[in-house]
Amino acid sequence: MNMHTFDVRHLMAGAQSEARQLGHRFVGTEHVLLAVISDPAGARRCPNNRKLAT
């Protein structure tokens, strides 16, 4: 398993957890975003990480 596979699995596990906490049966983009921002290293784990305009 390469590092990107681990990162995606880690991110999706976080997204599933967020969906469950909210009582949702399906994982959507909102859950993925919540998983990214709840993980201190989340933004660094995203492929092609780019700075966001503020």
Side-chain angles (χ1 to χ4, degrees), residues 16-34:
Q16 287 176 335
S17 176
E18 294 290 344
R20 276 192 224 109
Q21 288 176 20
L22 293 169
H24 299 163
R25 293 176 35 192
F26 300 98
V27 175
T29 55
E30 65 275 24
H31 305 112
V32 175
L33 290 172
L34 286 169

Side-chain angles (χ1 to χ4, degrees), residues 27-49:
V27 175
T29 55
E30 65 275 24
H31 305 112
V32 175
L33 290 172
L34 286 169
V36 168
I37 63 173
S38 68
D39 182 356
R44 289 189 303 264
R45 292 179 188 271
C46 292
N48 300 321
N49 185 18

